Amino acid sequence: MSDLSDLLKRNKAWAEAMRAQDRDFFKRLSNQQAPKYLWIGCSDSRVPANQITDMQPGEVFVHRNVANVVVHTDLNCLSAIQFAVDLLKVEHIMVVGHYGCSGVHASLTGVRVGLADNWLRHVGDVAQKHAPLLDALELDTLRHARLCELNVIEQVFNVCQTTIVEDAWSRGQEFSVHGWIYSLFDGRITDLRMTVGARDALAGAYQSALAGLAAREK
């Protein structure tokens, strides 16, 4: 087992480089946190929110879990959403999945991974809900990619149905929830056109996003 000394050395070099570029960077960073964005993404180490959106520390508030799932009983995720909406007053919440997600693949294929099987059951529910759309695809790789997309759309729906988001919209707070997906193959983010800015816009946005996926196969 390797030690962590290399990470500490790299941290020191990074901190010194940041100070060389901007002498007051850490002073400003320590005095405020005012991100406009909440990123709800997968824990996958290949999908770091700040780097792939080219944002600096302090610009995005982040919550990550396996397969970017939003569950109404998950107090960790709900606390992050509540903090971002009520205290930080973010303007955008992005649920961001990624193609090639191993958690989604395990749900699709029935591969057992251990304790996380219970968590990934939520993705399995998405697969069952949209079985006709997935079964229409002949290639396993295409079904995997489509379930990654469907999972994002369903998790955006879940975000919008939390009491936190519903209450904020009810009192007139302005922000939008978006569904994005990231490609590990070219580093690009695709907007899945699941964008909701008000409670009464949810159903229409959901149906439109699903229709957009179905139209790709025609």
Side-chain angles (χ1 to χ4, degrees):
M1 180 181 294
S2 61
D3 62 36
L4 300 178
S5 59
D6 183 57
L7 295 184
L8 296 175
K9 291 177 182 177
R10 289 163 63 178
N11 166 254
K12 181 179 178 181
W14 171 78
E16 291 175 349
M18 292 301 294
R19 281 193 295 268
Q21 295 173 24
D22 183 350
R23 184 176 59 185
D24 296 325
F25 176 78
F26 290 108
K27 181 179 180 180
R28 290 196 309 274
L29 193 64
S30 64
N31 287 332
Q32 66 175 5
Q33 178 181 214
K36 295 180 180 180
Y37 313 100
L38 166 61
W39 174 289
I40 301 175
C42 183
S43 296
D44 193 300
S45 60
R46 300 167 294 177
V47 193
N50 286 72
Q51 286 92 327
I52 66 177
T53 54
D54 193 26
M55 287 193 285
Q56 294 294 317
E59 292 187 299
V60 57
F61 195 66
V62 178
H63 174 81
R64 298 169 71 177
N65 61 54
V66 177
N68 45 273
V69 172
V70 178
V71 183
H72 296 298
T73 54
D74 178 9
L75 297 183
N76 188 352
C77 183
L78 295 181
S79 295
I81 294 173
Q82 188 269 326
F83 196 94
V85 171
D86 293 350
L87 281 75
L88 298 177
K89 308 294 184 183
V90 297
E91 298 175 10
H92 302 276
I93 299 174
M94 299 95 75
V95 178
V96 187
H98 67 95
Y99 294 118
C101 180
S102 57
V104 171
H105 187 262
S107 294
L108 182 65
T109 59
V111 173
R112 296 292 296 271
V113 299
L115 179 63
D117 294 329
N118 300 280
W119 178 255
L120 293 173
R121 180 65 257 169
H122 299 292
V123 183
D125 292 342
V126 174
Q128 289 183 346
K129 182 177 182 179
H130 298 285
L133 189 56
L134 293 171
D135 292 342
L137 300 171
E138 295 183 1
L139 297 177
D140 291 341
T141 54
L142 293 179
R143 283 194 290 272
H144 184 196
R146 183 52 44 84
L147 184 54
C148 290
E149 296 167 337
L150 288 167
N151 185 50
V152 169
I153 291 171
E154 291 293 340
Q155 305 315 321
V156 170
F157 194 94
N158 289 345
V159 170
C160 294
Q161 286 199 316
T162 63
T163 56
I164 301 155
V165 169
E166 287 187 341
D167 289 349
W169 277 335
S170 294
R171 62 177 178 261
Q173 188 171 336
E174 295 184 1
F175 61 93
S176 299
V177 187
H178 313 264
W180 289 358
I181 192 159
Y182 173 74
S183 173
L184 297 169
F185 306 105
D186 62 11
R188 300 291 298 272
I189 294 173
T190 298
D191 185 350
L192 293 174
R193 306 300 180 187
M194 177 64 177
T195 296
V196 188
R199 183 177 183 179
D200 58 6
L202 176 57
Y206 179 73
Q207 293 301 326
S208 179
L210 293 180
L213 293 184
R216 295 184 191 177
E217 308 309 318
K218 297 179 180 179

